[in-house]
Amino acid sequence: MSHPLPPVAPTGAPALPSPTSAPLSPRTEAPTGDAPGGPGQAELLAFVRRSAADTSLVASLPLDPEGRTWLRLDGPGGSEAWLIGWPPGTGTGWHDHGGSYGAFATAAGSLREDALAHRLPAGGETGTILELPEGVDRTRELGPEQGRAFGPHHVHQVLNTAEHAHAVSVHAYYPPLPLMRRYSRSGQALRLEQIERPEDWQ
């Protein structure tokens, strides 16, 4: 949890080209909608699934036992895309994507996503506390060849709960993330802790 999401590559880190085409597995959550003027959720999901299946691309990511590692990818249609390595026990914390929609897929290992089936207000100042209704929690495990798309109001955390194995995943967002809101959670209370903007990640 030592690095923000999205993981912005260090200065001079290479951007990798889009992966070669690969057949899609039926084990994928269906996207729920598109936004005009850019790649839709289905296109982002197809991209992250292709990327996750590209073994040479996945093997190009250096892994670190202490913290997450990443490479920026050339996403479709002006989207923001990342290949991310997750050491055992690392995660993102609760966050949203500033109104962007996206998709992610696991390339190696397994990731757990905890998500809220509840639309949060789009604004708010740090320190704002939101009371969540009961029954809004959703948890899924995503192993290799599994992915999911999500809409612009998605709030989640992603974790590698394995004790000894790295996980690797591919993420794509459109439009490129304008900001991210980070939350802490205690029971059904979600507190807005921080608003990050691209200049904070660079």
Side-chain angles (χ1 to χ4, degrees), residues 133-186:
E134 296 291 335
V136 299
D137 289 287
R138 303 290 183 268
T139 297
R140 57 173 53 84
E141 292 284 339
L142 296 171
E145 300 183 10
Q146 292 181 309
R148 59 106 79 238
F150 53 83
H153 304 287
H154 193 61
V155 178
H156 71 169
Q157 63 177 354
V158 180
L159 309 102
N160 178 8
T161 60
E163 293 184 8
H164 305 292
H166 264 79
V168 177
S169 59
V170 182
H171 303 246
Y173 312 96
Y174 189 85
L177 299 180
L179 59 85
M180 288 180 57
R181 298 177 188 90
R182 295 194 167 277
Y183 303 90
S184 62
R185 184 170 180 185
S186 177

Side-chain angles (χ1 to χ4, degrees), residues 31-43:
T32 56
D34 296 337
Q41 290 183 49
E43 186 176 352

Side-chain angles (χ1 to χ4, degrees), residues 111-135:
L111 290 172
R112 188 184 88 201
E113 183 198 30
D114 299 327
L116 300 178
H118 182 70
R119 183 169 175 166
L120 298 183
E125 298 180 356
T126 56
T128 301
I129 297 176
L130 305 167
E131 290 294 331
L132 299 172
E134 296 291 335

Side-chain angles (χ1 to χ4, degrees):
M1 299 178 63
S2 58
H3 298 290
L5 188 76
V8 177
T11 303
L16 299 182
S18 299
T20 56
S21 295
L24 298 180
S25 159
R27 295 182 296 162
T28 298
E29 181 170 312
T32 56
D34 296 337
Q41 290 183 49
E43 186 176 352
L44 293 183
L45 183 57
F47 170 81
V48 297
R49 295 290 325 290
R50 275 197 313 275
S51 302
D54 186 332
T55 55
S56 61
L57 176 66
V58 174
S60 72
L61 178 67
L63 300 178
D64 185 316
E66 300 299 325
R68 285 189 289 164
T69 53
W70 52 82
L71 289 172
R72 187 159 192 162
L73 305 179
D74 182 14
S79 61
E80 179 177 351
W82 300 93
L83 178 67
I84 304 175
W86 307 74
T90 56
T92 61
W94 289 98
H95 65 279
D96 68 17
H97 307 95
S100 295
Y101 59 93
F104 72 98
T106 304
S110 179
L111 290 172
R112 188 184 88 201
E113 183 198 30
D114 299 327
L116 300 178
H118 182 70
R119 183 169 175 166
L120 298 183
E125 298 180 356
T126 56
T128 301
I129 297 176
L130 305 167
E131 290 294 331
L132 299 172
E134 296 291 335
V136 299
D137 289 287
R138 303 290 183 268
T139 297
R140 57 173 53 84
E141 292 284 339
L142 296 171
E145 300 183 10
Q146 292 181 309
R148 59 106 79 238
F150 53 83
H153 304 287
H154 193 61
V155 178
H156 71 169
Q157 63 177 354
V158 180
L159 309 102
N160 178 8
T161 60
E163 293 184 8
H164 305 292
H166 264 79
V168 177
S169 59
V170 182
H171 303 246
Y173 312 96
Y174 189 85
L177 299 180
L179 59 85
M180 288 180 57
R181 298 177 188 90
R182 295 194 167 277
Y183 303 90
S184 62
R185 184 170 180 185
S186 177
Q188 296 305 109
L190 198 67
R191 184 179 191 273
L192 178 56
E193 297 288 354
Q194 187 176 7
I195 300 172
E196 296 178 353
R197 289 183 167 78
E199 56 267 26
D200 299 320
W201 310 326
Q202 307 254 354

